[in-house]
């Protein structure tokens, strides 16, 4: 199954659907998408849409965009173009910015990233709860994104898929699909920083180890992802029920 949807300017846009759950159901396709920054899309007037990116994006029928970036990132890089019938929400889930390109190469890169994810999970409780509530209550295609569609976006995807009952192996596999976009993400970074090379060799990488470490950290502290959502986000089981109602195919399947 091809999960990435090809765009000229977007490198990490993909459908979160298609994964199977422990009870034999399937995450619906065409309902929940994850992406790198949608600010890279061309204006809606089509004049500069030579690659058809905007037309392809509009064809997905997305009605809600959740932008996980800092407001200062949006001020610097822009946001998704306005479109009729599309709601835009900015919920900055990260509260302690850091420069990945400048991470000490001597650090364990995957442990370092997992620790940053835990910071986001703890600091961004209010925003993450809102993100999950919007996803759980939106009965139409929705996309969430950050800058590269890797870390903040990967964290949210992992929470959603786990709450839906997707096995950790498949959650990790979804996370690691960003590796297919790493080369293009690095190319974009170099274009924006001429003459520089990321000092951290793990820049743009997203191996399964990172999200597995993060999920293990959540389990150690809260018992499970559901425990984290209940205890730290203050959300009851109705949130998870809403996610399952909106995002799982009502029919069961035994094929994997």
């Amino acid at each position: 199954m091809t999960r990435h949807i090809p765009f000229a300017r977007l490198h990490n846009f993909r459908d979160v659907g298609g994964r199977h759950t422990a009870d034999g159901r399937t995450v619906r396709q065409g309902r929940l998408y994850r992406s790198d920054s949608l600010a890279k899309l061309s204006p809606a007037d089509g004049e500069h849409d030579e690659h058809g990116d905007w037309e392809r994006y509009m064809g997905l029928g997305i009605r809600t965009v959740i932008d996980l970036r800092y407001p200062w990132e949006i001020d610097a890089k822009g946001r998704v173009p306005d479109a009729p019938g599309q709601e835009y929400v900015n919920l900055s889930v990260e509260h302690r910015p850091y420069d990945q390109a400048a991470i000490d190469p001597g650090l364990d890169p995957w442990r370092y990233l997992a620790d940053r994810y835990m910071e986001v999970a703890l600091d961004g409780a209010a925003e993450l709860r809102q993100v999950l509530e919007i996803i759980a209550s939106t009965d139409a295609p929705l996309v969430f994104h950050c800058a590269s569609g890797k870390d903040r976006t990967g964290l949210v995807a992992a929470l959603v898929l786990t709450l839906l009952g997707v096995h950790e192996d498949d959650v990790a596999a979804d996370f690691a699909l960003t590796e297919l976009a790493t080369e293009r993400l690095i190319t974009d970074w170099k274009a924006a920083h001429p003459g520089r090379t990321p000092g951290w060799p793990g820049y743009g990488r997203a191996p399964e180890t990172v999200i597995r470490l993060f999920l293990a950290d959540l389990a150690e502290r809260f018992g499970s992802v559901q425990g984290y959502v209940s205890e730290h986000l203050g959300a009851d089981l109705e949130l998870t029920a809403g996610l399952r109602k909106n995002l799982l195919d009502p029919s069961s399947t035994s094929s994997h």
Side-chain angles (χ1 to χ4, degrees), residues 58-70:
M58 290 299 293
L60 298 174
I62 290 169
R63 292 293 172 262
T64 304
V65 176
I66 302 177
D67 190 336
L68 304 173
R69 296 175 298 161
Y70 289 98

Side-chain angles (χ1 to χ4, degrees), residues 78-209:
R79 45 155 284 189
V80 64
D82 288 322
Q86 180 173 271
E87 179 183 4
Y88 172 84
V89 183
N90 175 218
L91 290 166
S92 179
V93 297
E94 186 179 280
H95 291 230
R96 302 184 226 181
Y98 62 101
D99 182 1
Q100 284 203 12
I103 294 173
D104 182 352
L107 294 174
D108 178 340
W110 316 141
R111 178 70 267 171
Y112 181 89
L113 284 180
D115 289 345
R116 303 292 75 72
Y117 290 13
M118 181 58 85
E119 288 178 354
V120 173
L122 297 177
D123 297 346
E127 294 84 2
L128 285 167
R129 174 171 174 163
Q130 291 179 73
V131 169
L132 295 176
E133 287 175 340
I134 292 170
I135 295 173
S137 61
T138 301
D139 190 22
L142 177 151
V143 61
F144 56 96
H145 76 88
C146 54
S148 297
K150 180 172 81 75
D151 301 304
R152 290 164 286 186
T153 296
L155 184 156
V156 170
L159 294 179
V160 171
L161 288 172
T162 302
L163 290 171
L164 291 175
V166 174
H167 191 278
E168 182 180 312
D169 288 348
D170 289 328
V171 175
D174 173 79
F175 179 82
L177 283 175
T178 287
E179 296 265 279
L180 298 177
T182 294
E183 184 176 346
R184 296 177 75 191
L185 293 172
I186 292 174
T187 298
D188 271 6
W189 187 92
K190 289 182 177 179
H193 303 84
R196 290 182 60 193
T197 299
W200 181 49
Y203 184 83
R205 295 287 312 281
E208 290 188 6
T209 303

